[in-house]
């Protein structure tokens, strides 16, 4: 079954058609960047997850975090559950690893802001 | 046992409480909401009316001029925001000019001082932005705009400080005659009292009908408003009324105490006394009518629409009388009710005295109030205030420049304050163009910290108007609809 | 109130614009620089923008908001730039030689500071429900997207359980995802325009990923609930934006999240006599971000609302450079310079700058602008002078109102301009 995907590489937002039965052939793309994007969106769509975790900061009680690389889209829900369990102790620095290799995705959950 | 129990903490009930606080009495002020001034005293035109409008044969006609004078004294005594702007009743044609002249005569009959009939030139000299088609007007200098919230709140703050008890969230459901006293039943409690004052505003008929045969019917009348930002500059210097006709007093354009512009109200009879929603049709009508008098109004600078419900009735006057033994009613209070409320209170207390209430003056009664409005202080006074309390140095409301010190002052004046709007009515926070967008979260934090309530219990306004629905990261599994 | 200290440059606002301007002014030779910030942190709105997508143009990598601002905050440490946090700029006065900035905070009270130059970097605020005049009740649960972002991301407080989003700007889309991930149900996103307000990428990753429907050419026409919001009426609108009778649909929600536009915050500027452009709601500026008041410069969202922080930084660096020149040389301004007015054609909403002083342009001038409608196919941006002669032409593969555009006009082309004006237009 062919599927429609909106390309997000640039604001133009091409409506790509991807055909899984024909080696994930991409049509509707204005530029070449649409081809790998369309293919990946069907085979293994990935996203960077950003959220917050609890922290005992002096001025703030939530610390922003992100996965340091895109993780499979289907893992977002499970990763959020992991994130919601975290309790950090201040101080932290941007880049500090909160959870290494979160849910075996190869991505680390890292702090994105210095908090005292 | 209370000596006097007042039902309703709007402007009238609050003035009665203030008046009674002068005497050695056990007084209780009840309101069904979580703050005072939440009925007609909250959403109205905020005008101290000169007294030219009401029929001289009514209580409204008798009390208005006296009330306006009294209000202008009270704004000094109680430190209430007020600007004596004067008002104009403008005429577009000879027929309207005739009505303006009749209005002048009626004003004279009511004792309204210093009125003048102006020609077009005088009108446009005073109000350069009003329609060039206006041919003349009635000028009423002894009138102005007042903060109606602060009017009511300040009376209660002083009354409470001087010993009056205040109970909020108490909706009266029954009045039981116990022979020599009354049992006042609310949804949750019972109070015994010798005298009762019914000052229930738009609900005064319901209280009335608990103990007496119906004497009048309230026709709840909704009025909608625009509040336009001061960014346009002040477009009018005084309150501009069109010439009234049989149907309506008309849509007015008024400066406000904070130098914004108020436009409204329409008058729509509605079934629900609590329905203060605004409607597209109502707002469009107001904009159209107001533009007729003041063509340059820019409704894109709107910072708030609101509506109030007025206690209009088939009496076309206030209802002031005893409705049962020792139950005094100050009911059916419509415009100019705010202006007349101090007089209604004085007259009401006189009537209670005639019925046997003993008025023994307190020796140490202090009827004054003073608040710090930081931004209005001189540079020297700002410095002094900051030395007294450094929290005047932290601006919370960016648009109106209201400081943390002023908010904390309001929390310490003896009345419970549990909502953002309660803070707004006391300090003016969130009144500006961002409508609390920036300061809302800060005030939630201050309220929680200073009053010891949980942030989740800080309200926007009345009970049930919660802001926060929980906390993040409470270890509950998030619902994600699709993975 | 005592006059305390004189600065070469005072910057009002410590968000990305203020930080970028301060560092640039410092690099260009100024030493006495003060940043006045009303929050207790530097970084401005970026602190609550915990999502990623910042910095692709400027740093060549994707950062979250806090990471983007952290990079500038870290650079401050090695400079002489002074920062006052939790401090409000109360008033700005302009005289010929000096600018006076009235500031107030809890520690030092009310002070009047003196500066040779001032950079306005106060950012913007959100348009409210009242400004778009949605009728109905004034229940709680009607919240601005940025305000919700502050509650959720900085304070860990949830603002609703069942939410409808009005407006498809980026903040609204991003908050739809954030609220969903934190356990709320977002029932729909409603947009009055026939096209998306924000970036496609946010539509895909914030709405589509979570099956949140988007209704274009729809709006909320009534809000119900006396205390907390209980529901809304959504209606389709015609091509004039007027609700179409008979298309009403009710949603039971406890929260209305508004993402209906941003307005540069210029009360301080206009009180100082800085002239504003009604099209941008920001100051009218010259090629070097100088306002109509000499010595007062503006950059970032106080000047015009940006969609990418990278452009804010770029603009802030230009403003910092210009302010440094002004302080050192009394301005880069040639006396009686030739003033060329920039005029947006009907399909362009505005240009920044609004005018340029020809002799002060070293190599070229960058002009930011936005188009009024969607162009999905390649277009040309045409620049014509007062005699209707085409001065320059730029090609773009597509253009959208949600994306700020810019072109660079070289000095040598500007030297040919007749009639002291330039009109910018877009043609398909």
């Amino acid at each position: 079954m062919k599927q429609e995907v909106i390309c997000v590489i640039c604001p133009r937002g091409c409506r790509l058609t991807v055909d899984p039965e024909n080696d994930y052939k991409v049509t509707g793309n204005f530029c070449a960047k649409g081809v790998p994007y369309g293919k990946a969106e069907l085979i293994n769509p990935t996203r960077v997850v950003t959220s917050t975790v609890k922290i005992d900061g002096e001025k703030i009680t939530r610390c922003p975090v992100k996965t340091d690389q895109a993780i499979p889209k289907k893992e977002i829900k499970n990763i959020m559950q992991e994130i919601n369990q975290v309790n950090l102790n201040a101080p932290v620095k941007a880049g500090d690893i909160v959870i290494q290799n979160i849910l075996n995705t190869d991505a680390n959950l890292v702090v994105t802001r210095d908090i005292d | 046992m209370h000596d006097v129990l007042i039902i309703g903490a709007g402007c009238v009930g609050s003035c009665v409480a203030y008046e009674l606080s002068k005497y050695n009495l056990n007084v209780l002020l009840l309101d069904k909401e979580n703050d005072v001034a939440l009925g007609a005293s909250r959403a109205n035109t905020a005008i101290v009316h000169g007294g030219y409008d009401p029929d001289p044969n009514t209580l409204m006609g008798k009390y208005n001029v006296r009330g306006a004078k009294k209000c202008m004294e009270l704004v000094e005594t109680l430190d209430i925001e007020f600007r004596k702007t004067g008002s104009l009743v403008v005429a577009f044609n000879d027929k309207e000019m005739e009505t303006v002249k009749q209005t002048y005569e009626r004003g004279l009959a009511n004792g309204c001082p210093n009125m003048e009939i102006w020609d077009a030139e005088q009108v446009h000299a005073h109000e350069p932005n009003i329609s060039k088609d206006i041919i003349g007007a009635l000028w009423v200098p002894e009138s102005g705009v007042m903060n109606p919230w602060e009017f009511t709140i300040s009376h209660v703050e002083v009354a409470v400080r001087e010993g009056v008890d205040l109970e909020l969230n108490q909706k009266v459901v029954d009045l039981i005659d116990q022979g020599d006293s009354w049992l006042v039943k609310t949804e949750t409690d019972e109070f015994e009292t010798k005298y009762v004052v019914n000052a229930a505003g738009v609900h005064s008929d319901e209280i009335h009908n608990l103990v007496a045969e119906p004497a009048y019917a309230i026709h709840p009348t909704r009025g909608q408003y625009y509040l336009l930002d001061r960014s346009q500059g002040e477009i009018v210097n005084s309150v501009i009324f069109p010439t009234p006709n049989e149907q309506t007093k008309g849509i007015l354009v008024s400066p406000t105490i904070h130098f914004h512009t108020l436009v409204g109200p329409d008058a729509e009879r509605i079934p629900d006394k609590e329905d203060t929603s605004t409607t597209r049709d109502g707002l469009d009508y107001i904009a159209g009518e107001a533009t007729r008098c003041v063509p340059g109004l820019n409704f894109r600078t709107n910072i708030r629409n609101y509506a109030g419900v007025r206690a209009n009735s088939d009496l076309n006057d206030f209802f002031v009388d005893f409705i049962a033994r020792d139950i005094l009613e100050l009911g059916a209070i419509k415009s100019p009710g705010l202006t007349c409320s101090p007089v209604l209170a004085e007259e009401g207390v006189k009537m209670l005295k005639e019925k046997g209430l003993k008025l023994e003056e307190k020796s140490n009664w202090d009827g004054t109030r003073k608040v710090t409005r930081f931004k209005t202080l001189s540079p020297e006074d700002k410095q002094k205030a900051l030395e007294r309390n450094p929290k005047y140095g932290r601006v919370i409301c960016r648009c109106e420049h209201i400081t943390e010190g002023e908010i904390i002052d309001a929390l310490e004046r003896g009345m419970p304050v549990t909502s953002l709007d309660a803070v707004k009515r006391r300090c003016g926070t969130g009144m500006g163009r961002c409508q609390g967008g920036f300061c809302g979260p800060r005030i939630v934090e201050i309220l929680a910290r200073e009053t010891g309530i949980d942030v989740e219990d800080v309200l926007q306004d009345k009970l049930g108007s919660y802001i926060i629905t929980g906390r993040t990261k409470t270890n509950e599994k998030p619902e994600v609809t699709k993975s | 109130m005592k006059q305390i200290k004189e600065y070469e440059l005072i910057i009002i606002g410590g968000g990305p614009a203020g930080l970028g301007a301060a560092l640039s002014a410092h690099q260009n030779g100024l030493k006495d620089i003060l940043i006045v910030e009303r929050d207790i942190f530097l970084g401005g709105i970026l602190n609550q923008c915990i999502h990623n997508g910042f910095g692709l143009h400027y740093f060549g990598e994707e950062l979250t908001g806090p990471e983007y601002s952290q990079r500038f905050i870290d650079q401050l440490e090695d400079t002489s730039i002074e920062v006052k946090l939790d401090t409000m700029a109360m008033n700005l006065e302009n005289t010929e030689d000096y600018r006076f900035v009235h500031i107030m905070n809890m520690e030092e009270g009310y002070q009047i500071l003196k500066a040779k130059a001032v950079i306005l970097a106060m950012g913007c605020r959100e348009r409210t429900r009242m400004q778009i005049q949605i009728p109905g009740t004034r229940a709680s649960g009607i919240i601005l997207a940025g305000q919700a972002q502050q509650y959720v991301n900085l304070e860990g407080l949830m603002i609703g359980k069942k939410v409808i989003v009005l407006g498809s700007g980026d903040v609204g889309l991003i908050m739809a995802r954030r609220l969903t991930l934190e356990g709320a149900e977002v029932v729909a996103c409603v947009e009055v325009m026939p096209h998306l307000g924000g970036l496609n990428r946010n539509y895909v990753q914030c709405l589509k990923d979570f099956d949140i429907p988007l209704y274009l050419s729809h709006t909320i026409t009534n809000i119900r609930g006396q205390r907390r919001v209980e529901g809304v009426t959504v209606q389709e609108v015609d091509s004039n934006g007027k609700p179409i009778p008979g298309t009403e649909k009710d949603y039971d929600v406890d929260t209305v999240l508004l993402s209906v536009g941003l307005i540069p915050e210029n009360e301080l500027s206009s009180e100082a006599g800085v002239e504003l452009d009604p099209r941008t709601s920001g100051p009218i500026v010259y090629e070097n971000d100088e306002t109509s008041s000499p010595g007062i410069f503006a950059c970032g969202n106080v000047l015009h609302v940006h969609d990418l922080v990278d452009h804010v930084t770029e603009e802030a660096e230009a403003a910092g450079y210009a302010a440094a020149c002004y302080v050192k040389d009394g301005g880069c301004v040639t006396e009686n310079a030739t003033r060329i007015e920039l005029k947006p054609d009907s399909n362009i909403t505005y240009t920044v700058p609004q005018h340029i002083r020809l002799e002060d342009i070293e190599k070229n001038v960058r002009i930011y602008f936005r188009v009024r409608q969607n162009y999905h196919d390649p277009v040309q941006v045409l620049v014509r002078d007062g005699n209707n002669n085409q001065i320059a032409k730029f090609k773009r593969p597509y253009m959208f109102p949600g994306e700020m555009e810019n072109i660079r006009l070289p000095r040598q082309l500007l030297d040919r301009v007749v009639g002291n004006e330039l009109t910018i237009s877009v043609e398909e």
Side-chain angles (χ1 to χ4, degrees), chain B residues 260-279:
Chain B
H260 300 302
T261 303
L262 183 65
V263 182
D266 59 345
E268 181 189 358
R269 261 176 73 171
I270 50 161
D272 180 358
K273 290 175 175 178
E274 302 284 324
D275 182 3
T276 56
S277 56
T278 57
T279 64

Side-chain angles (χ1 to χ4, degrees), chain A residues 6-102:
Chain A
I6 298 174
C7 180
V8 302
I9 302 287
C10 83
R12 184 189 182 87
C14 292
R15 289 183 180 273
L16 313 177
T17 307
V18 189
D19 185 358
E21 279 138 40
N22 185 11
D23 192 25
Y24 295 93
K25 186 174 161 48
V26 175
T27 49
N29 55 311
F30 183 79
C31 74
K33 290 176 186 164
V35 176
Y37 175 81
K39 205 168 166 179
E41 274 296 282
L42 253 68
I43 297 170
N44 180 24
T46 61
R47 303 284 185 263
V48 169
V49 175
T50 59
S51 186
T52 61
V53 297
K54 275 195 198 171
I55 188 164
D56 56 351
E58 199 184 310
K59 293 175 182 164
I60 194 163
T61 60
R62 294 293 181 277
C63 172
V65 293
K66 69 170 184 184
T67 56
D68 61 2
Q69 50 180 289
I71 54 95
K73 198 167 108 179
K74 63 180 191 305
E75 293 291 345
I76 293 178
K77 184 178 166 181
N78 298 330
I79 284 181
M80 277 306 294
Q81 286 190 28
E82 294 295 310
I83 288 175
N84 289 346
Q85 311 296 320
V86 172
N87 276 301
L88 275 187
N89 295 318
V92 293
K93 284 260 171 223
D96 287 358
I97 293 176
V98 182
I99 302 176
Q100 203 136 26
N101 188 17
I102 187 165

Side-chain angles (χ1 to χ4, degrees), chain B residues 302 379 394 442 466 469-470, chain C residues 1 86 130 140 150 158 228:
Chain B
N302 183 44
R394 177 181 274 154
R442 291 284 68 74
Y466 56 92
T469 60
Chain C
M1 267 187 311
D86 208 2
M130 293 301 173
S140 69
Q150 184 182 348
M158 281 299 279
R228 176 84 187 191

Side-chain angles (χ1 to χ4, degrees), chain B residues 200-215:
Chain B
V202 75
H203 297 284
S204 60
D205 60 336
E206 295 158 49
I207 301 294
H208 178 108
N209 298 347
L210 290 174
V211 292
E213 285 301 309

Side-chain angles (χ1 to χ4, degrees), chain B residues 309-322:
Chain B
V309 177
R310 317 199 273 279
N312 288 5
S313 75
D314 50 10
L315 285 181
N316 207 19
D317 198 0
F318 305 148
F319 182 94
V320 177
D321 205 352
F322 281 89

Side-chain angles (χ1 to χ4, degrees), chain C residues 147-302:
Chain C
Q147 192 183 20
Q149 197 172 41
Q150 184 182 348
Y151 275 122
V152 176
N153 291 351
L154 294 179
E155 296 173 29
L157 298 170
M158 281 299 279
I159 48 78
K161 292 190 158 76
K162 203 169 172 189
V163 185
I164 191 161
V165 179
L166 177 65
S168 63
D170 286 316
V171 194
L173 299 175
I174 288 198
M175 281 314 291
R177 174 175 63 186
R178 273 299 289 145
L179 291 169
T180 306
L181 287 175
E182 295 297 343
E185 181 190 352
V186 180
V187 298
C189 175
V190 175
E191 168 62 57
V192 71
M193 300 301 285
H195 51 77
L196 192 73
L199 301 172
N200 261 308
R201 162 202 168 95
N202 287 328
Y203 165 64
V204 171
Q205 299 190 354
C206 300
L207 297 187
K208 235 170 152 277
D209 273 5
F210 301 97
D211 286 339
I212 300 167
L214 169 70
Y215 298 108
L216 297 174
S217 298
H218 280 69
T219 193
I220 292 176
T221 53
N222 194 24
I223 299 177
R224 289 183 282 116
Q226 285 293 343
R227 310 266 158 141
R228 176 84 187 191
V229 170
E230 289 164 15
V232 298
T233 306
V234 171
Q235 264 180 285
E236 196 177 337
V237 299
D238 64 21
S239 53
N240 298 316
K242 284 251 179 273
I244 302 170
T247 61
E248 293 86 350
K249 200 176 166 202
D250 271 19
Y251 288 86
D252 293 332
V253 291
D254 65 9
T255 306
V256 181
L257 188 97
L258 298 176
S259 174
V260 290
L262 302 168
I263 308 168
E265 210 170 28
N266 275 293
E267 284 64 38
L268 202 62
S269 332
S270 56
E271 279 162 23
V274 169
E275 269 179 64
L276 302 183
D277 182 346
R279 291 172 292 215
T280 55
S281 301
I284 295 173
V285 291
Y286 291 100
E287 69 293 333
N288 60 349
D289 294 330
E290 190 171 18
T291 67
S292 61
S293 304
I296 300 182
F297 300 78
C299 59
N301 280 352
V302 82

Side-chain angles (χ1 to χ4, degrees), chain B residues 113-361:
Chain B
N114 306 329
M115 296 180 299
E116 290 171 25
I117 299 273
W118 281 2
D119 62 19
E121 199 181 328
Q122 285 169 294
V123 175
H124 290 112
H126 188 72
E127 295 290 353
N129 295 321
I130 67 172
S131 166
K132 298 292 169 241
D133 296 335
I134 285 166
I135 61 164
L138 172 66
W139 166 241
V140 186
E142 298 300 319
S143 58
V145 291
M146 180 168 71
N147 183 335
W149 306 333
E150 191 171 35
F151 179 83
T152 303
I153 288 165
S154 62
H155 278 89
V156 179
E157 282 178 352
V158 171
V160 166
R161 192 188 68 206
E162 298 299 319
V164 169
D165 292 324
L166 171 70
E167 292 260 1
L168 298 171
N169 303 313
Q170 295 284 7
K171 183 179 177 184
V172 173
V173 292
D174 208 357
L175 296 166
I176 313 280
D177 191 351
Q178 304 190 127
D180 56 354
S181 66
W182 286 91
L183 185 69
V184 180
K185 288 189 163 184
T186 67
E187 282 171 332
T188 52
D189 292 284
E190 294 179 351
F191 303 94
E192 273 191 301
T193 182
K194 287 183 196 137
Y195 294 85
V196 175
V197 176
N198 171 14
V202 75
H203 297 284
S204 60
D205 60 336
E206 295 158 49
I207 301 294
H208 178 108
N209 298 347
L210 290 174
V211 292
E213 285 301 309
Y216 60 91
I218 296 262
H219 300 312
T221 305
R222 180 170 64 189
Q224 305 185 38
Y225 297 86
Y226 281 94
L227 185 63
L228 307 180
D229 190 40
R230 67 173 85 94
S231 60
Q232 226 190 330
E234 277 206 285
I235 193 156
V236 292
N237 298 310
S238 48
V239 184
I240 312 294
F241 291 91
T243 304
N245 61 34
E246 246 114 80
Q247 284 84 42
T248 168
K249 262 199 220 175
I251 306 300
L252 60 88
V253 180
S254 170
T256 77
I257 42 166
H258 299 125
F259 304 91
H260 300 302
T261 303
L262 183 65
V263 182
D266 59 345
E268 181 189 358
R269 261 176 73 171
I270 50 161
D272 180 358
K273 290 175 175 178
E274 302 284 324
D275 182 3
T276 56
S277 56
T278 57
T279 64
R280 186 73 274 149
D281 289 349
L283 293 172
D284 287 348
Y285 168 76
I286 290 164
E289 283 295 301
T291 308
R292 207 168 61 88
C293 280
V294 185
L297 289 170
N298 179 1
F299 288 90
R300 278 183 308 179
T301 64
N302 183 44
I303 49 178
R304 193 161 178 87
N305 293 117
Y306 65 89
V309 177
R310 317 199 273 279
N312 288 5
S313 75
D314 50 10
L315 285 181
N316 207 19
D317 198 0
F318 305 148
F319 182 94
V320 177
D321 205 352
F322 281 89
I323 51 172
R325 183 186 52 77
D326 300 340
I327 299 187
L328 172 66
E329 173 161 330
L330 305 171
I333 307 299
K334 55 172 239 165
S335 176
L338 179 64
T339 312
C340 294
S341 52
V343 180
L344 284 159
E346 281 177 356
E347 293 296 320
V349 171
K350 224 183 272 175
M351 290 168 80
L352 289 170
K353 189 184 174 192
E354 283 161 14
K355 280 276 175 179
L357 178 68
K358 286 210 169 51
L359 301 181
E360 185 189 308
E361 279 187 26

Side-chain angles (χ1 to χ4, degrees), chain C residues 5 10 19 25 28 68 125 131 136 146 192 270 274 289 372 419:
Chain C
K5 197 177 164 190
I10 294 179
L19 290 169
N28 287 292
Y68 188 93
R125 64 167 177 271
Q131 281 157 325
V192 71
S270 56
V274 169
D289 294 330
R372 234 175 245 290

